[in-house]
Amino acid sequence: MITIETFVHVLDLVGTFVFAISGAVAAVNRRLDIFGILVLSFVAGNFGGITRDLLIGAVPPAALTDSRYLLVSVLAGLITFFWYAGVDRLRSPMLLFDAAGLSLFAVAGAQKAIEFGLNPGMAALLGMLTGIGGGMTRDVLLAEIPQVLRSDLYAIAALAGASIVVIGDKLGLSYGISALAGGLLCFGLRFMAIRYDWRLPVAHLSARGRVAADPSNEEDPR
């Protein structure tokens, strides 16, 4: 019988591989060398989990003590480096893999936070952070605005999936049921956002845009 700890660990490793691929693809697109590709692969696949573990006191983080996380990340980076053309042709499927990885990390992160005694609200937020942390760090290293701050229903989807796990725990449901429900909700929201370009509302005109539209509104620097 598979224990909850083993199930969470498997979800973590699968999510690590999926996000490591996304980090490696971003590195190749920015013309990084093979070392840079492997670094971005590890960062994207593991920094969400590392941040979660540091915040809940699970030290040293699992990604730094279990060599399988490193091996999975390196494997993803090498696959992308040597077979980038094939990976790039899977651009649309990769978006779905990314959505699957987000779902896996969100439900696994929320459950681990629950196991370490966090309250429901913080456990849901930690589940979300597990899903988005690696991508945010990847984008910062590439000197880009993190995708999660400008993309379609990304963090919200992760938060929704993690919240289902927390609610299921409070209702006494088994983790398998709540993880499945939370993962499907997160994946469904991401899939619909990708398919129909769902986005959160943004300001209609930024301060810079107002200046461009009406230069007379720009303050006198004197």
Side-chain angles (χ1 to χ4, degrees), residues 68-91:
R68 285 173 290 188
Y69 288 92
L70 176 61
L71 291 175
V72 164
S73 302
V74 169
L75 177 62
L78 292 176
I79 288 174
T80 305
F81 180 79
F82 288 106
W83 294 285
Y84 175 75
V87 173
D88 190 55
R89 281 196 292 270
L90 296 174
R91 186 176 300 275

